[in-house]
Amino acid sequence: MSDIGYTATITLNDNSIVKGEIVNVDEESGIMILRQKAKFDHTKRSYTFVNLDSINNVNKENKTEEFSTSDIPPITSDLIGDVMQNEGEILRNQQIKELKIGLNVSLEAQQIFNALDKTYPCSWDNTDIVVYQICKISEPYTIDDISGERKQAIERMKKVLQAERKKLKLKN
């Protein structure tokens, strides 16, 4: 491909930027490999694998004069599998993080959610915080706003919520 050997600034679909020397583009696997000098040891190189579908723009800057592919790892089916698996894990982790952000909730509500989620698995049900799929904490997220069917779990959650609100310096 004609881009190989060029130094480039690549803008991804999420507007992040990757810079490096294009050392390989494999249309079949949908992967571009960029080589960069290591941050602290310029005698070493690091490689970034970019999914071609995630590229928004490629700005070629200049062709590297002493371009060599001797130290470039070959693209194998194992490597493609590893890259795809890593990409899948990153996407799943991002989706999990996004589910932890409440929509149309106050900063206080998000702070309470984040505090509880460190110890208990929490999720959002609209603006309600669901803890362990057993208790639900509704606005304004005080101990009087906890509901559920298991009395013992509710009593425990009242103590935990009261302690977290105190740590966050929120009024009970």
Side-chain angles (χ1 to χ4, degrees), residues 134-135 146 148-158:
I134 296 172
C135 297
I146 300 173
E149 297 193 14
R150 293 173 53 189
K151 186 176 180 179
Q152 190 175 10
I154 292 170
E155 291 306 313
R156 173 71 184 139
M157 191 49 51
K158 283 182 178 181

Side-chain angles (χ1 to χ4, degrees), residues 1 3-7 21-24 33 35 63-72:
M1 174 170 235
D3 291 345
I4 292 176
Y6 278 90
T7 300
E21 180 182 30
I22 300 171
V23 295
N24 200 341
I33 302 176
R35 176 171 45 198
K63 184 120 177 158
T64 307
E65 293 191 24
E66 296 180 18
F67 180 73
S68 169
T69 60
S70 63
D71 64 338
I72 300 170

